[in-house]
Amino acid sequence: MSDFTNEDAERAFVEAYNMPTGMPKHEALERAARMSDALGHLPLGVSCRIALLDSAYYLSRYDLMLAPFAWALTAQEKDPESFDDNERHRLDWAHKWIGSGLRRDPRFSLEQMQSVIRQLADRYGQRGYSVQPVHGARAEHAYHVGDMTGLAEHLGKYLATERGPMADCAACVVEEQVWMLARLGRFQEAATHGWEGLSGDSGCSTQPQGILTALLWPLLEIGDVERAAHAHTTAYRLIKEDDITSYVHEHIRFCALTGNVARGEEILRRSLHKVTATQLPADEMSFAQSASVLLQRIPADTVFEVPSVGTLTAAALLDRLTARALELAQAFDARNGTPAWVTRVTEALQRADYSPVPLAVPPAAATEVVEEPVVFGDPVEIAQAMVTLYEQGDFVKARRMLDSLPADMDALLPPDLAAHAGIRRMTTGLVPFDTDAFDSLLAVLPHDLALRYRARMAIGLEDGMETAERCLAEAESDFTRAIAALTLAELLDEAHSHERASEMIALASSLDVPELRGRVLVEAAEHRARQQDLEGAYADVVAAMAGELPVSARFEGYRLRLRLETLLRKVPEALATAREFVAAFPLPEASEARWYQVASIQELDQEAACLADLREAVAVSRVHLSPGHTAHFCFALSGGYVQTDRFVEAAEVLEESLRLLQEGQEDLRLQVVFRLGQVCRRLGELPAAERYLREAAELLPPEEVGRRAFLLDALASVQARAHKHEEATASWRAAAALWQQEGDVSEAIGSLIELASALPDEEVRETRAAVDEAEALLASLDDPSEVARRQAEIVAIRAWVHGQAGEFALAMKHYRDAEALVVSLGDEGWRVFIVLRAANVLLGADDAEGAEAEARRAASLLPDDTQVGNVLSVLSEALRRQNKPSGTDPLVRELTARLD
């Protein structure tokens, strides 16, 4: 006799079953199975074997399935009653896995593979199941052995056969069919079929990432770059934390072949455990092949830290993985008796790139190689040319000259030219500004030239006004007087001394320095703008730019014109000016124009319309601006993605912005993490959403009450979706209190209504309390329509509470009251929603006839097709409960047609 009991064995099974996926769980299930066999406990033995099949599947160890599967088949033949309905279903379902597993491991023979498929066909036929999975298995087998005619034949049957209870979910079936269509070169058909299969939520843990991954190649083949980018970014975001899935292999190869090598390398580095830890030979071959395609495009000396192997260069890793991919391909071909896999792997390794596919986060812009990046010649002549060009207002050519004068060459220059070079390096940002060094350099220059530089630098200084006035008083040339006068005009405008500023503009104009005429015109327009005469300033700057302007003045003219068009909400003009501004100057000067362009796009809320501009700004900034600039541009780009409902791309570009943020960009960080929290909420990434929103709350200054209330509302909605109801309640209540503190009673009511709507069904008391508090605040609202809107929301929640409590008459009364309020607001969509809620109450009260009447009334009120499916669902249920045929009902047919 065994020294353990049935109860011991059952307890061992339950403990093993509840362990996390892994070999320890599998081994524990095997021990429980042996205990059940020793006791002759057949039902427990069956449960153990079914659990072992599931365990092996999630381990990707199909070899471990064979023994429990054979045991279960034998047990079922001997005693069918030992299996309950669920176990019979799971055994039939696992039969599909066996064939797939044998195919993906060359240790199993071709005969074994074919035998399992024949058994599958017989088994499903005997049970009356749809044979769609059998056609799928035969199609996969045909492709595996290189029989493309057989693939086409069985795929045709697979596509034509209806799904049944043993078929994979509808989305997984679509994924398999897309792969097969693509393998046959039917790319347009594959793309269309797959894209249509993405509609709706399948509820499957491997979808939509499976379909999206399968779509990568047909989309590339038909040149649909935008959808290919969307498929990659969306799918990879769903699988990047999954260490097992083989989908990631396709994304490594996709990046390699579409000009996204840096991203491919990042993905490969996250997947290096697969070099030694991939379970299935087919998956190992797939990884080795895809990684090799990428490694061919990475510098040979790039270093990788490979788990269980150590440090390898890209070249060494490429040699290792290429050899392994071909070795496994040869093993499969030896088993299959065909050359299919060696041919496929060889062709994959030789595949040329597709056209580049721009992804969510643009890489650095490709820059043209300039054969002569510096000006060669006599340093003295170059320095003299630089000084002249700056004075003439051509800062573009002057900067080229300055770049040709490295600081270590200053010793070769006369002292005054060396001083000019040193000062310009500071004023253009090539080196940090140093007050002492600046003063030392000025001391070398003639007094008038030193005054000119001091006047230019006076803006922003604490004693800037006094400095500029002194420069004006001591100036020896009209040029320096004009510079000092223009500086004083700006400083006087800032001090609201506009009359004196006008005198300075007039003085600069009267001096009529030829090199400064254009600058004076632009400054005169700026002076009018600073006095809030925006239309007058706009007319002046447009007129100024119609004439000939030096390069520096034209740059300032574009800047002012763009700013005025933005403030005046001249949207088409501003967008056109911004593009003209950027195009008017070469890099790196044009990169500064990008800053003004992006600011205008954001202020005008035109991110969606300017996605291409924002993407280009990010790419340019990576080369010519600081990481902080790129972080800002990424944030702006995320706004375009959000506005076009491209939330995956928004998340990716926001994460890049977060990575690039620099010290001192705390306000931008707040904006980035808040938007990222909102985007993650939309994507269902609730832990990340809560983390980012909490960070935003910590960054937000306490005095910003309204923003804090808005943030807490967002945080509460995330916590509610994550079933953290106590935390959500606290957040909504805190938001309501802050809204009241801010004086926005309507938003406070909204927070309480959101709280009441999100509470679990059993929290009736808390729901009623929140509604009572919201209703008590109604008296503080002044706008009658706002009172009606909030009252309708409150009454509808009360109706729902009564319905949950079985108080159907009270629920109906409140729904009627809510409908009357909604009618007064003229919101027909909301009215349909309320009527359908009432119909559901009637269904709960077993009044199917009344529910039918309400559903028909809702149908008559539909303002559009948004709620057609909801109306159809309630009407069909009402008819079913009355045993009325729905298929012949005219309204059902009409709604069904509208739904299709």
Side-chain angles (χ1 to χ4, degrees):
M1 290 185 60
S2 61
D3 56 358
F4 47 81
T5 65
N6 282 3
E7 289 76 13
D8 294 329
E10 289 166 0
R11 189 180 307 110
F13 169 69
V14 171
E15 290 174 357
Y17 190 84
N18 290 321
M19 290 173 66
T21 297
M23 279 308 297
K25 173 177 180 171
H26 196 85
E27 290 164 357
L29 286 169
E30 287 180 329
R31 287 194 294 272
R34 288 193 293 271
M35 291 170 70
S36 68
D37 292 347
L39 292 165
H41 193 336
L42 185 58
L44 180 59
V46 170
S47 298
C48 288
R49 268 56 184 216
I50 299 300
L52 280 165
L53 289 171
D54 289 341
S55 172
Y57 175 77
Y58 290 114
L59 286 168
S60 292
R61 290 288 304 274
Y62 293 84
D63 55 316
L64 297 178
M65 283 186 187
L66 296 179
F69 183 69
W71 186 98
L73 288 181
T74 301
Q76 193 175 47
E77 286 183 12
K78 291 180 178 177
D79 186 359
E81 299 304 315
S82 61
F83 287 72
D84 62 25
D85 290 342
N86 176 262
E87 288 165 340
R88 274 190 289 274
H89 178 89
R90 289 166 67 188
L91 179 61
D92 289 341
W93 190 271
H95 201 144
K96 297 183 299 180
W97 297 342
I98 302 297
S100 174
L102 298 185
R103 184 178 69 248
R104 295 159 73 185
D105 190 333
R107 291 176 298 175
F108 300 103
S109 70
L110 203 60
E111 176 52 38
Q112 284 177 296
M113 292 165 52
Q114 293 166 332
S115 174
V116 167
I117 295 175
R118 286 194 298 269
Q119 290 174 359
L120 182 71
D122 292 344
R123 189 177 185 83
Y124 282 14
Q126 291 167 6
R127 284 163 168 68
Y129 296 144
S130 165
V131 292
Q132 188 199 51
V134 179
H135 294 314
R138 285 175 172 156
E140 288 285 2
H141 177 82
Y143 173 73
H144 180 75
V145 299
D147 179 7
M148 303 308 285
T149 301
L151 170 60
E153 175 191 345
H154 294 300
L155 173 58
K157 296 175 181 178
Y158 190 26
L159 291 166
T161 307
E162 291 292 326
R163 293 175 60 248
M166 286 298 112
D168 291 340
C169 78
C172 285
V173 168
V174 170
E175 178 197 338
E176 293 157 8
Q177 292 169 343
V178 171
W179 282 116
M180 294 178 195
L181 287 165
R183 288 162 180 164
L184 288 168
R186 294 157 62 175
F187 301 118
Q188 185 62 63
E189 190 178 347
T192 301
H193 187 59
W195 210 259
E196 290 173 353
L198 289 169
S199 59
D201 182 5
S202 68
C204 176
S205 62
T206 64
Q207 300 299 341
Q209 57 267 39
I211 295 176
L212 290 167
T213 301
L215 277 169
L216 293 175
W217 309 109
L219 289 171
L220 286 175
E221 290 290 344
I222 66 174
D224 194 336
V225 171
E226 185 173 344
R227 282 186 173 179
H230 172 79
H232 165 68
T233 53
T234 303
Y236 182 65
R237 190 167 187 87
L238 291 168
I239 64 175
K240 68 179 181 179
E241 301 301 332
D242 188 339
D243 290 337
I244 296 176
T245 180
S246 60
Y247 290 142
V248 73
H249 311 166
E250 301 300 326
H251 293 276
I252 292 171
R253 187 159 63 98
F254 172 87
C255 290
L257 296 174
T258 57
N260 293 288
V261 173
R263 181 176 172 89
E265 181 181 338
E266 176 188 333
I267 298 172
L268 175 60
R269 289 186 184 279
R270 294 171 63 102
S271 308
L272 287 173
H273 61 281
K274 289 174 174 276
V275 172
T276 57
T278 305
Q279 297 291 354
L280 281 169
D283 289 349
E284 185 182 359
M285 178 175 66
S286 166
F287 170 75
Q289 170 192 289
S290 295
S292 295
V293 173
L294 176 74
L295 288 163
Q296 291 172 347
R297 292 158 172 81
I298 290 176
D301 58 353
T302 304
V303 173
F304 294 88
E305 294 298 329
V306 182
S308 303
V309 175
T311 302
L312 292 178
T313 63
L317 186 56
L318 172 61
D319 288 345
R320 176 186 179 123
L321 292 178
T322 300
R324 184 59 177 156
L326 288 168
E327 178 187 354
L328 288 165
Q330 291 163 358
F332 279 112
D333 285 348
R335 188 267 303 276
N336 301 337
T338 68
W341 283 106
V342 169
T343 300
R344 288 167 186 161
V345 170
T346 302
E347 289 176 352
L349 294 173
Q350 296 171 351
R351 178 70 169 84
D353 287 1
Y354 290 93
S355 298
V357 175
L359 299 181
V361 184
T367 55
E368 294 183 9
V369 177
V370 180
E371 291 184 7
E372 299 290 341
V374 295
V375 178
F376 292 104
D378 186 323
V380 174
E381 293 178 359
I382 292 172
Q384 289 172 334
M386 175 202 68
V387 172
T388 301
L389 288 165
Y390 269 123
E391 294 298 287
Q392 292 173 346
D394 190 343
F395 75 104
V396 173
K397 290 181 181 177
R399 175 60 185 269
R400 300 294 182 272
M401 298 295 177
L402 182 61
D403 289 342
S404 302
L405 292 169
D408 58 7
M409 195 180 288
D410 287 358
L412 303 177
L413 300 174
D416 61 331
L417 291 179
H420 280 295
I423 290 168
R424 287 295 180 180
R425 289 191 196 99
M426 279 192 270
T427 58
T428 55
L430 288 175
V431 298
F433 187 83
D434 183 308
T435 302
D436 293 338
F438 182 66
D439 289 340
S440 297
L441 292 169
L442 288 181
V444 176
L445 296 175
H447 184 59
D448 192 63
L449 286 178
L451 290 173
R452 198 174 301 175
Y453 279 121
R454 284 199 187 280
R456 287 187 174 115
M457 299 304 294
I459 295 171
L461 295 178
E462 198 171 307
D463 62 344
M465 188 87 73
E466 292 81 359
T467 299
E469 286 177 338
R470 187 172 68 253
C471 291
L472 179 60
E474 297 178 9
E476 300 168 3
S477 67
D478 285 349
F479 199 121
T480 301
R481 290 187 189 94
I483 292 292
L486 292 174
T487 299
L488 269 172
E490 183 171 344
L491 291 168
L492 288 163
D493 273 333
E494 288 178 1
H496 304 290
S497 299
H498 299 304
E499 190 171 338
R500 280 201 63 205
S502 296
E503 293 173 3
M504 292 297 105
I505 294 290
L507 173 61
S509 180
S510 68
L511 293 171
D512 195 27
V513 178
E515 296 92 340
L516 296 177
R517 286 171 187 159
R519 180 174 171 185
V520 170
L521 289 173
V522 174
E523 286 291 336
E526 186 91 61
H527 170 59
R528 294 187 73 171
R530 290 194 287 262
Q531 297 175 79
Q532 300 308 306
D533 180 6
L534 303 185
E535 291 287 1
Y538 184 57
D540 284 354
V541 76
V542 169
M545 295 190 70
E548 291 294 325
L549 292 178
V551 174
S552 298
R554 185 161 293 277
F555 187 94
E556 292 302 316
Y558 273 119
R559 182 194 58 75
L560 177 58
R561 183 169 132 193
L562 176 59
R563 182 67 188 143
L564 290 168
E565 287 169 344
T566 302
L567 291 171
L568 293 166
R569 311 301 292 180
K570 296 177 180 287
V571 176
E573 293 88 345
L575 299 184
T577 295
R579 289 170 183 144
E580 189 180 324
F581 190 6
V582 168
F585 301 92
L587 290 168
E589 287 75 17
S591 60
E592 186 178 347
R594 293 279 180 188
W595 180 260
Y596 299 109
Q597 178 189 36
V598 171
S600 176
I601 289 169
Q602 288 183 288
E603 194 166 336
L604 293 171
D605 200 28
Q606 292 296 306
E607 292 96 324
C610 298
L611 275 171
D613 299 288
L614 294 171
R615 289 179 56 83
E616 192 173 341
V618 171
V620 167
S621 71
R622 289 186 184 279
V623 179
H624 299 285
L625 294 173
S626 70
H629 284 91
T630 306
H632 184 96
F633 292 173
C634 282
F635 177 73
L637 176 57
S638 75
Y641 288 137
V642 168
Q643 289 173 5
T644 51
D645 294 336
R646 294 165 62 175
F647 294 106
V648 171
E649 288 97 329
E652 295 226 339
V653 80
L654 284 166
E655 288 167 349
E656 178 70 357
S657 179
L658 203 57
R659 187 182 71 80
L660 294 170
L661 281 170
Q662 304 293 290
E663 186 177 348
Q665 290 187 294
E666 285 73 19
D667 188 62
L668 179 57
R669 184 179 189 88
L670 169 59
Q671 296 177 66
V672 170
V673 294
F674 178 69
R675 181 176 287 173
L676 188 51
Q678 295 281 58
V679 167
C680 288
R681 179 179 66 164
R682 290 294 301 264
L683 293 172
E685 299 173 2
L686 301 183
E690 183 175 8
R691 183 174 70 254
Y692 289 127
L693 291 173
R694 284 191 181 280
E695 182 179 349
E698 292 170 2
L699 292 168
L700 191 64
E703 63 272 14
E704 296 198 35
V705 176
R707 289 179 74 186
R708 182 169 294 279
F710 184 77
L711 194 156
L712 285 172
D713 277 331
L715 177 60
S717 69
V718 171
Q719 291 166 332
R721 286 179 60 187
H723 306 294
K724 297 181 176 182
H725 298 296
E726 289 186 10
E727 294 178 43
T729 297
S731 296
W732 264 313
R733 288 198 175 281
L738 289 172
W739 284 124
Q740 291 181 73
Q741 182 181 333
E742 184 75 355
D744 196 332
V745 177
S746 179
E747 288 296 341
I749 294 171
S751 296
L752 292 168
I753 287 171
E754 288 292 332
L755 167 59
S757 302
L759 283 165
D761 293 354
E762 63 271 14
E763 298 290 342
V764 174
R765 174 190 279 180
E766 185 69 33
T767 301
R768 283 179 169 155
V771 171
D772 289 344
E773 290 177 49
E775 194 163 42
L777 293 173
L778 285 174
S780 301
L781 290 178
D782 297 324
D783 184 350
S785 65
E786 187 66 9
V787 172
R789 182 171 74 89
R790 293 304 192 188
Q791 182 72 61
E793 292 172 332
I794 289 168
V795 172
I797 294 174
R798 290 198 186 283
W800 178 84
V801 170
H802 287 303
Q804 289 296 109
E807 300 164 353
F808 301 121
L810 278 172
M812 289 301 297
K813 176 187 180 304
H814 282 300
Y815 277 131
R816 294 287 184 244
D817 292 343
E819 184 183 355
L821 289 165
V822 170
V823 169
S824 73
L825 295 169
D827 192 329
E828 289 301 305
W830 193 0
R831 185 182 182 187
V832 170
F833 176 79
I834 294 292
V835 173
L836 286 177
R837 281 292 188 92
N840 277 307
V841 166
L842 293 170
L843 285 174
D846 291 328
D847 182 1
E849 185 177 352
E852 178 189 347
E854 286 294 277
R856 291 186 185 279
R857 188 163 72 89
S860 71
L861 298 171
L862 283 168
D864 51 43
D865 289 347
T866 305
Q867 298 189 73
V868 166
N870 296 331
V871 174
L872 180 59
S873 176
V874 175
L875 177 58
S876 299
E877 178 61 17
L879 292 171
R880 186 191 68 79
R881 293 197 187 183
Q882 299 175 78
N883 295 317
K884 292 182 178 180
S886 60
T888 56
D889 185 278
L891 181 56
V892 170
R893 295 171 70 177
E894 177 193 333
L895 293 172
T896 302
R898 288 175 68 175
L899 193 61
D900 292 341

